[in-house]
Amino acid sequence: MEIDKAIGESDDKRLKTKYNNAIFVIRRALSLYSIEEVAFSFNGGKDSTVLLHLLRAGYFLHKKELSSSNGGLSSFPVRTIYFESPSAFTEINAFTYDAAQTYGIQLDIIRQDFKSGLEALLKANPIRAIFLGVRIGDPTAVGQEQFSPSSPGWPPFMRVNPILDWSYRDVWAFLLTCKVKYCTLYDQGYTSIGSIHDTVPNALLSVNDTSSKEKFKPAYLLSDGRLERAGRVKKNASVKNDVGSDSHKHEVLLASVIAVGDEILSGTVEDQLGLSLCKKLTSVGWSVQQTSVLRNDVDSVSEEVDRQRSICDMVFIYGGVGPLHSDVTLAGVAKAFGVRLAPDEEFEEYLRHLISEQCTGDRNEMAQLPEGITELLHHEKLSVPLIKCRNVIVLAATNTEELEKEWECLTELTKLGGSTSLMESKRLMTSLTDVEVAEPLSKLGLEFPDIYLGCYRKSRQGPIIITLKGKDNARIDLAVQGLCKKFKEGVFVDMK
């Protein structure tokens, strides 16, 4: 069989692994269901074309095992359904019909919407499983496994996803290695094809040419797979900013800081990041409600993140990010939100550019991110984007210098300091005893409930430092005057 032979002769170890895993899923499905109970949803796109040839190879190997025959594959008996749409490209339609004729495919053409057409198809046929060319990163891929029952509200069937973990590069490696035909639009700069209303050639493949007609390089020359969908026409996207709405404009926002690391708890490493992060948050008007240090344990991280995300506007977590067994932060965040870790092709592309040949193999653990809730915050100063999961920011910094860079980028991307009123503050120093200032400060707090009052000593015998914070400097001045009136003149020194 030409597909199996082409992959077997390839030197691409990653492609071989992806191929073998996909073939295993296909053969498993063919063992679980009879040929009359399976179907293949074909749409003429590159992912679907890959799956077509994987199914041909998988069926051939399955049949070969059952019959011990070495014969070729003259026909393709898996029922193939094609949802024909008036908004489809003519090139997609032409390629689909040409592929059907070339490979002996009997097409069931459906001219209804996907759900209605599927309901009619399953009602008329004993279909129990459908092969789909879904990949992680597709809008419909969230929550799916290689075998996933259909969603509630849909007719019951098993979704079989053999190429769920394939990347853009994997798709093109397969098509080019096997030398199979694909839709001609991909040679005209299209990298992800939808309808004629929302798809244009990818501008990143544009060729500088003196002629009036714009030209594009073929899709397989796109070096950065995370930009695969750049040719989809959509509304201008902007970074979502959970703290930038008007509802937060005049209130103090709450933050918590979580450090993950056994080395901090054992005293092996002194944590400087927490101190620095608290200072930075306070400087832009946030109120840090809590800092915590956790051991390298998924459940510990999950429980703390779940608790803090429900009471704070933003949670900042650092440590435990990487490929080691002790790096559990992302797994903990995913568990806190009740989602799984899944390959993120966009993030993997960043890692590939950063660590090149080390970022290989079937499964890159560093590119596993919480599925469906992760937003990558891109900045030109960062080699890899920051990770934001709803109201949880995952920082990769390991020292204060790295934190400084990440913080600078983060404040630009999310406007952490521009969405809330900055807190004004004053600090007073006095040699009075705790007993002498306790009652006056308590009364002052009742008189000025909008002013935060804090006290601390740098040493047990040292002076008391009193901090007054609020959003109105005039109110702070009144509070200071009110406190000074309760004592002799000169008792308090203004620490400017």
Side-chain angles (χ1 to χ4, degrees):
M1 204 279 168
E2 80 282 2
I3 300 297
D4 195 59
K5 184 174 183 291
I7 297 298
E9 294 174 350
S10 172
D11 294 327
D12 190 334
K13 293 182 180 179
R14 177 186 171 102
L15 178 59
K16 284 184 175 180
T17 302
K18 295 288 184 180
Y19 172 78
N20 289 332
N21 290 347
I23 291 297
F24 175 82
V25 172
I26 291 168
R27 295 180 67 177
R28 178 63 177 157
L30 294 176
S31 297
L32 292 171
Y33 306 99
S34 68
I35 200 68
E36 293 79 17
E37 293 176 323
V38 297
F40 165 42
S41 179
F42 185 54
N43 64 16
K46 63 185 186 304
D47 300 340
S48 198
T49 302
V50 167
L51 184 52
L52 165 64
H53 293 288
L54 287 171
L55 282 170
R56 292 179 61 241
Y59 176 73
F60 168 78
L61 294 171
H62 175 69
K63 181 182 176 183
K64 179 181 176 182
E65 183 181 44
L66 294 178
S67 63
S68 300
S69 170
N70 292 317
L73 186 65
S74 58
S75 64
F76 182 66
V78 177
R79 180 185 295 273
T80 303
I81 51 180
Y82 177 56
F83 288 83
E84 191 175 82
S85 168
S87 61
F89 284 87
T90 56
E91 291 88 344
I92 285 288
N93 284 331
F95 171 73
T96 299
Y97 294 126
D98 181 61
Q101 184 175 7
T102 301
Y103 301 110
I105 301 171
Q106 294 298 317
L107 281 181
D108 280 353
I109 301 171
I110 300 175
R111 295 183 174 87
Q112 297 173 273
D113 65 273
F114 192 80
K115 188 175 183 181
S116 300
L118 205 54
E119 288 175 341
L121 180 74
L122 297 184
K123 189 175 181 180
N125 299 279
I127 296 172
R128 297 175 56 201
I130 299 178
F131 291 101
L132 301 168
V134 173
R135 291 193 290 120
I136 290 291
D138 293 346
T140 59
V142 175
Q144 289 203 51
E145 303 284 351
Q146 290 174 325
F147 287 86
S148 291
S150 55
S151 303
W154 284 72
F157 67 95
M158 182 63 72
R159 293 175 290 189
V160 185
N161 304 307
I163 63 169
L164 188 64
D165 64 345
W166 285 43
S167 70
Y168 183 84
R169 291 186 298 111
D170 296 329
V171 166
W172 280 110
F174 178 87
L175 294 174
L176 297 176
T177 297
C178 296
K179 299 179 180 178
V180 294
K181 290 184 179 180
Y182 51 82
C183 180
T184 57
L185 288 175
Y186 292 111
D187 285 335
Q188 300 170 33
Y190 291 83
T191 52
S192 177
I193 300 174
S195 77
I196 57 175
H197 305 299
D198 66 3
T199 310
V200 295
N202 194 322
L204 296 167
L205 293 174
S206 179
V207 177
N208 292 325
D209 197 291
T210 55
S211 63
S212 57
K213 186 178 180 180
E214 191 171 10
K215 295 181 179 179
F216 296 87
K217 292 180 285 187
Y220 58 79
L221 292 180
L222 182 69
S223 60
D224 198 338
R226 64 195 169 196
L227 301 173
E228 171 186 358
R229 298 178 70 85
R232 293 294 187 100
V233 180
K234 56 185 177 181
K235 295 179 181 179
N236 290 332
S238 59
V239 174
K240 294 178 183 176
N241 181 9
D242 294 337
V243 299
S245 61
D246 290 339
S247 62
H248 286 300
K249 208 166 186 179
H250 301 295
E251 57 183 82
V252 177
L253 297 175
L254 309 180
S256 68
V257 176
I258 301 173
V260 179
D262 293 344
E263 66 278 8
I264 300 174
L265 290 171
S266 66
T268 306
V269 172
E270 183 179 355
D271 178 28
Q272 295 292 330
L273 297 185
L275 175 63
S276 179
L277 194 53
C278 287
K279 287 181 178 179
K280 292 179 184 301
L281 285 164
T282 301
S283 72
V284 294
W286 284 67
S287 175
V288 180
Q289 296 297 288
Q290 179 177 317
T291 65
S292 53
V293 181
L294 309 177
R295 61 194 181 94
N296 296 326
D297 175 70
V298 173
D299 289 335
S300 298
V301 174
S302 171
E303 290 168 9
E304 185 66 9
V305 169
D306 191 37
R307 189 169 70 86
Q308 294 301 329
R309 74 182 180 91
S310 64
I311 61 177
C312 293
D313 295 289
M314 196 69 76
V315 178
F316 297 84
I317 186 168
Y318 59 91
V321 178
L324 302 176
H325 73 282
S326 57
D327 294 323
V328 299
T329 295
L330 288 171
V333 172
K335 189 172 182 179
F337 284 97
V339 301
R340 66 175 182 174
L341 287 177
D344 187 290
E345 183 178 347
E346 181 180 2
F347 199 63
E348 185 171 7
E349 283 294 328
Y350 276 105
L351 295 177
R352 186 173 69 87
H353 285 289
L354 183 65
I355 58 180
S356 59
E357 71 280 353
Q358 298 176 48
C359 187
T360 59
D362 174 44
R363 189 175 180 185
N364 181 6
E365 295 294 341
M366 290 182 68
Q368 303 270 317
L369 301 179
E371 186 183 30
I373 62 169
T374 298
E375 180 182 1
L376 298 179
L377 305 182
H378 311 275
H379 196 287
E380 59 184 8
K381 293 182 181 179
L382 298 175
S383 55
V384 293
L386 294 167
I387 299 170
K388 180 173 179 286
C389 301
R390 302 271 172 83
N391 64 331
V392 178
I393 301 287
V394 181
L395 299 168
T398 58
N399 55 55
T400 53
E401 184 178 337
E402 292 174 356
L403 178 63
E404 189 68 40
K405 180 187 289 187
E406 289 187 5
W407 176 261
E408 180 185 344
C409 297
L410 187 61
T411 51
E412 288 182 24
L413 294 170
T414 64
K415 301 176 183 172
L416 282 172
S419 58
T420 181
S421 301
L422 291 178
M423 298 285 283
E424 304 289 345
S425 67
K426 282 196 174 182
R427 291 194 301 161
L428 303 176
M429 184 171 65
T430 181
S431 58
L432 293 170
T433 65
D434 295 2
V435 175
E436 289 175 302
V437 298
E439 185 177 350
L441 282 175
S442 296
K443 290 182 178 179
L444 189 68
L446 295 175
E447 295 172 22
F448 295 88
D450 56 324
I451 302 298
Y452 164 80
L453 298 174
C455 300
Y456 66 95
R457 294 178 186 271
K458 291 186 176 180
S459 68
R460 175 48 55 189
Q461 303 303 320
I464 296 175
I465 297 173
I466 302 171
T467 304
L468 299 91
K469 292 182 181 180
K471 288 187 276 186
D472 188 338
N473 206 27
R475 289 283 293 167
I476 294 176
D477 288 339
L478 285 174
V480 169
Q481 292 171 19
L483 180 62
C484 291
K485 285 179 181 179
K486 299 177 188 294
F487 298 92
K488 293 180 181 180
E489 186 177 350
V491 168
F492 297 98
V493 178
D494 190 352
M495 297 178 67
K496 296 182 179 178

